[in-house]
Amino acid sequence: MKKTDKKDIKNRLVALHEPSNPQAEYFRTIKTNIEMANIDSQIKSLLITSPTQDSGKTMISVNLASTYANDGVKTLIVDLDLRRPSLGFAFPFLKSCPGLTGILDSSQKLTLDDAIVKIGDTNLYALPVGVRPVSPYSILNSEKLVQLIKQLQEEFDMIIIDTPPVLMVTDALLISKWVEACILIARGSYSNKKDVRKSLKSLRDSNANVLGAIFNNPQMKQTNYYYAESDA
Ligand SMILES: Nc1ncnc2c1ncn2[C@@H]1O[C@H](COP(=O)(O)OP(=O)(O)OP(=O)(O)O)[C@@H](O)[C@H]1O
Ligand SMILES: [Mg+2]
């Protein structure tokens, strides 16, 4: 598999920087589909995962979060890919921020406001990982993280959580316990159907509310993003 250049994510934030670009329409369609999936009570926390690496999770998470923010929704994107944090590729200034691990480290005495970064003059906020933790499991299993997410759910109208691939580590399955819904990102050229099915099954076996899968076509031309029903 060709190695991708993560730095290129910051050039792909169409929904944030060029909301009238036709490509930003893909993300509005995804948002509409999410809304249609739960008409009676709007989803306010969403986990994004994929079967394997490099599927476009971070790129899509940030564009989707920007789409909500552009619609006036106070939106937070949380990087819970504690193994390969990527929000810093989208927003390089986040690399020096204390982030999630800063808040969880009580010796630093940080508040949420110290760790959450507002993105420009928008309704979009970001919580990066901060210093990469030695033991992601102990963070993901901590009561402190659950309490923090509850607090964030009170402060924000939408929280989008970027997570590691579901077939590689169990992080996304753990996180799915405290979010309202999940979406799987499959990369057109190299996510095979078997992996997609296996990932959907793992999420469902963990009682996750899986809304569906997005097939991400890296060429980003015409009908690139498909929103499939979750029985893929
Ligand atoms: N539709 C697309 N068109 C063009 N480039 C894309 C597209 N989707 C993703 N990419 C590029 O592919 C690379 C991988 O995307 P991204 O980092 O979002 O994937 P990921 O699933 O978060 O990866 P990881 O598993 O490492 O966290 C990035 O360089 C990104 O800009
Ligand atoms: Mg990523």
Side-chain angles (χ1 to χ4, degrees):
M1 187 198 301
K2 187 173 162 282
K3 209 168 173 339
T4 54
D5 179 6
K6 298 283 181 189
K7 288 190 191 128
D8 125 290
I9 295 180
K10 63 179 182 306
N11 303 319
R12 304 209 169 272
L13 306 183
V14 277
L16 182 68
H17 300 304
E18 303 169 69
S20 51
N21 183 312
Q23 287 178 353
E25 190 58 41
Y26 301 129
F27 300 102
R28 282 194 286 276
T29 303
I30 294 169
K31 176 174 177 279
T32 304
N33 278 301
I34 294 167
E35 287 162 355
M36 296 307 283
N38 267 47
I39 295 173
D40 290 332
S41 82
Q42 281 308 309
I43 285 164
K44 292 178 75 184
S45 55
L46 182 70
L47 176 153
I48 306 283
T49 190
S50 61
T52 50
Q53 290 180 347
D54 256 345
S55 306
K57 294 182 296 295
T58 302
M59 191 276 288
I60 290 177
S61 298
V62 177
N63 275 300
L64 189 56
S66 305
T67 305
Y68 277 90
N70 290 341
D71 283 353
V73 179
K74 191 178 177 193
T75 305
L76 176 70
I77 176 152
V78 183
D79 194 351
L80 272 186
D81 189 341
L82 303 175
R83 296 158 198 276
R84 303 222 301 174
S86 336
L87 261 189
F89 293 115
F91 305 111
F93 51 88
L94 294 179
K95 286 186 182 164
S96 55
C97 296
L100 180 79
T101 51
I103 307 183
L104 294 177
D105 174 2
S106 40
S107 70
Q108 293 196 38
K109 298 192 170 39
L110 296 175
T111 64
L112 275 185
D113 285 347
D114 297 322
I116 291 174
V117 181
K118 186 170 162 70
I119 305 297
D121 188 20
T122 68
N123 260 321
L124 180 63
Y125 297 76
L127 179 57
V129 170
V131 174
R132 196 156 56 162
V134 182
S135 169
Y137 279 121
S138 54
I139 290 192
L140 294 173
N141 282 311
S142 69
E143 183 54 28
K144 229 173 161 182
L145 182 63
V146 175
Q147 291 309 323
L148 175 72
I149 298 289
K150 277 191 187 148
Q151 204 181 337
L152 294 173
Q153 281 170 335
E154 278 166 26
E155 275 201 33
F156 291 89
D157 300 320
M158 180 62 171
I159 300 178
I160 294 186
I161 303 180
D162 188 12
T163 68
V166 71
L167 293 186
M168 300 180 81
V169 283
T170 55
D171 302 19
L173 301 179
L174 289 171
I175 299 163
S176 73
K177 310 260 177 245
W178 29 264
V179 296
E180 290 175 44
C182 305
I183 287 183
L184 188 76
I185 311 295
R187 185 150 179 162
S189 51
Y190 56 74
S191 297
N192 66 47
K193 270 192 189 166
K194 208 170 138 202
D195 283 352
V196 171
R197 286 206 188 96
K198 224 167 133 187
S199 306
L200 290 171
K201 182 172 181 329
S202 293
L203 286 163
R204 290 203 193 103
D205 288 350
S206 296
N207 292 322
N209 173 20
V210 185
L211 296 183
I214 294 170
F215 289 87
N216 176 25
N217 179 341
Q219 301 312 317
M220 276 194 111
K221 285 181 197 145
Q222 292 180 354
T223 50
N224 295 336
Y225 296 102
Y226 298 103
Y227 188 81
E229 286 303 315
S230 56
D231 56 358

